[in-house]
Amino acid sequence: MMLAQLMGNIVYFGGDTSQHCAATVKECPNFNANEAAAALEKAMKAKGVDEPGIIRVLANCSNAQRQKIKLAYQQLTGKPLVDALKKTLSGQFEEVVLALMMTPPHYDAHSLRTAMKGLGTDEDCLIEILASRENNELKEIAKVYKEEYKKDLEKDIIGDTSGDFKKALLALLKANRSECTRVDEDLADNDARAFYEAGEKRKGTHVDTYIDILTSRSCQQLRKMNECYGKYSKNDVAKAVDLELKGDIEACLMAVMKVIQNKPAFFAEEMFKAMKGSGTNHKKLIRLLVSRCECDLNNIKREFKNKYGMTLHKAIVAEKLKGDYQDILLTLCGGDD
């Protein structure tokens, strides 16, 4: 990977130092890409494959460092590292390792592509990614999607979704959310009134108004609008969405509101959903841990413990996952706190 791409990766993470402090996976000190590449080759050639050795190398360094390991491995062996990992590994452990080897925008693009290809659509994945990423991240995802799959993300969403849900996803993908940190109180009041008149005040819901406001205003502005909404209704905005809408469009706009109010709490709830019930949603659990471990996973863990009364670490252990698959997830999760 070229240096420009690596730098793009850093931009994708948003340059927010508070997020990096909340990461559970950070840069490996005294990192040496050549030594890491040699260690991986040794682990893959070991009798029976040394999975713990692979975890030690790949789950304990940053994504940017993994990209350097890719280059070093190619130079050392003449083979692409990802191809070697695919030949050596299998199952969910392989899925986690391959996810770690992608850059963040590549992994998001890959997740969106997987959510839409073949029969059926994983609406939950589309909502989770498009409702939670920043403007710069969404633009990078669309760019990588085009480069990697020779397809237009917007067109794929149009072809795979319909109605108001499609409109909301496309509005989010446009990445037009205001980044102004100043709150306009008059605008907040006007939006609150418009939101009320588009929903609770009338028979039927003017969903376009909901979509326009929730996908274009800054987080600070929407929090203020939510405060102002109390002047017009006994409900808050999230409750109004819950009362007025149903199905995928409700899930989408509710996710937007939850992200705006408390992003780590939103992801904590998504983690819980991935593990509740009789079976584990492995794809979702892997996606959440891989995509947040270098961003805000410590904050998510705190919200998870506060809301569900147990640590995320213990919740993962309680799923009784298989050996090395569980070990790599717990390494990404960090300590039992």
Side-chain angles (χ1 to χ4, degrees), residues 234-285:
K234 63 182 180 181
N235 301 310
D236 62 10
V237 170
K239 183 63 177 176
V241 170
D242 179 49
L243 290 170
E244 292 293 314
L245 304 177
K246 61 182 180 180
D248 293 329
I249 182 60
E250 179 193 358
C252 183
L253 295 187
M254 284 294 288
V256 170
M257 282 304 301
K258 288 175 183 178
V259 168
I260 285 159
Q261 290 167 341
N262 186 334
K263 188 184 281 191
F266 165 76
F267 281 118
E269 184 179 352
E270 293 303 299
M271 295 268 190
F272 181 77
K273 287 178 185 175
M275 294 181 282
K276 76 173 184 178
S278 58
T280 308
N281 185 335
H282 297 284
K283 197 170 290 294
K284 183 178 179 71
L285 183 60

Side-chain angles (χ1 to χ4, degrees), residues 37-106:
L40 281 177
E41 177 71 350
K42 182 180 178 182
M44 286 188 282
K45 285 192 170 180
K47 187 176 181 181
V49 184
D50 178 13
E51 285 93 349
I54 293 172
I55 295 172
R56 279 194 299 274
V57 174
L58 295 180
N60 290 288
C61 65
S62 70
N63 191 277
Q65 288 174 329
R66 284 183 219 116
Q67 306 314 316
K68 292 177 181 177
I69 295 171
K70 274 188 189 177
L71 289 174
Y73 187 87
Q74 179 83 41
Q75 291 167 353
L76 175 69
T77 67
K79 301 178 293 184
L81 175 55
V82 169
D83 288 353
L85 290 167
K86 284 179 180 177
K87 287 180 182 177
T88 305
L89 307 178
S90 62
Q92 274 121 13
F93 180 71
E94 176 193 6
E95 192 174 338
V96 180
V97 170
L98 294 181
L100 288 171
M101 295 312 301
M102 298 180 205
T103 65
H106 185 178

